[in-house]
Each structure stands twice: as C-alpha cells, then as structure tokens.
Amino acid sequence: MWIHFLVFIVTFCFMEFMAWFSHKYIMHGFLWSLHADHHKKDHDSWFERNDAFFIFYAVVSIGCFLLWQKNILEIGLAIGLGIFAYGLAYFLVHDIFIHQRFKLFRNANNRYAKAVRRAHKMHHKHIGKEDGECFGMLIVPLKYFKK
Ligand SMILES: [Zn+2]
Ligand SMILES: [Zn+2]
C-alpha cells in the first residue's frame, strides 16, 4: 500500500517539474498563442485561453484514473490522484491566491505565501514571450524569501 503513497508523492513533485518545463518551453514556446492572454488579457471573459493547459492535465489525470478503473494499470490511481492534487494546489496558489480569480486568501502573509507571490509577480513583469523568469510555481527560489 505504501508504494501507492510513494508514487502519489513522487507524481506530485514530478508535476512541479512538468509545470516548470511546459511553462518555459511549451507555453513560452510553440503554444504561446494559448498562454499569451495570461500575460496580457485581451478579452473580458473570466476564462483564459491559458486554461487549456489545465484541461490538458485534467484529461491526463482522468486517463490514469480510467486505466486503474479498467484494471489496466494498478498504479494509475496513485498517478492520477498525484496529478489531480498538484492541479488543485496550482489552482489554489496561482489562480486564487496570486491572481485572485476568486476573492479568497487575500490576506495570507506567511513567509511562503509572500515569496511564492513575489516570485510569480516577477514572471508577470515580462509581458512578452521571451526573457521570462520564475517559470515554476510551488518551488520558490531562495532569494524571494529574503526581507
Ligand atoms: Zn508565462
Ligand atoms: Zn500567473
């Protein structure tokens, strides 16, 4: 049983790498057209074209869940739940806490909350596709904890 828990944790951590990688090389790469409206909003909808990446990972997560349910991949449940948990954490931290898509946790001001917001605001200082920084989310460079 504990192996499932281990795979869940490893999947969660691996997703931070995937988030960083897809943000840096795909969203700021050949799929910039889908990510651009997260940097410079050009419409009034609550939804962004950028949400497509969320849907992509949700589909992967559901796929793993189905593989488990159909008895094709026993570890699929742990992987699917790991991806789901990361997606949820990403949404809570990035979309709600930092970008306030729902007006919640506005006053969170522990050291981690401040650092993660400061780091992501640095990412948003750049409006274009090139010269970005801080592509990760939950892992924050140490320098943003200072002061
Ligand atoms: Zn970006
Ligand atoms: Zn953002």
Side-chain angles (χ1 to χ4, degrees), residues 76-114:
L77 180 64
I79 299 173
L81 286 176
I83 297 172
F84 172 77
Y86 184 82
L88 187 66
Y90 196 102
F91 191 78
L92 288 173
V93 170
H94 175 256
D95 294 84
I96 299 184
F97 171 60
I98 298 176
H99 290 299
Q100 290 289 302
R101 289 177 83 176
F102 296 111
K103 306 290 170 216
L104 291 169
F105 325 125
R106 225 180 315 198
N107 302 321
N109 66 350
N110 59 69
R111 282 183 76 213
Y112 177 73
K114 281 185 194 159

Side-chain angles (χ1 to χ4, degrees), residues 115 119 134 137 139-146:
C134 292
M137 181 51 55
I139 297 177
V140 182
L142 272 181
K143 62 175 176 178
Y144 292 104
F145 283 92
K146 302 223 171 91

Side-chain angles (χ1 to χ4, degrees), residues 58-72:
V59 169
V60 175
S61 170
I62 292 166
C64 291
F65 185 79
L66 288 176
L67 288 175
W68 166 76
Q69 199 192 35
K70 308 274 180 224
N71 292 313
I72 299 167

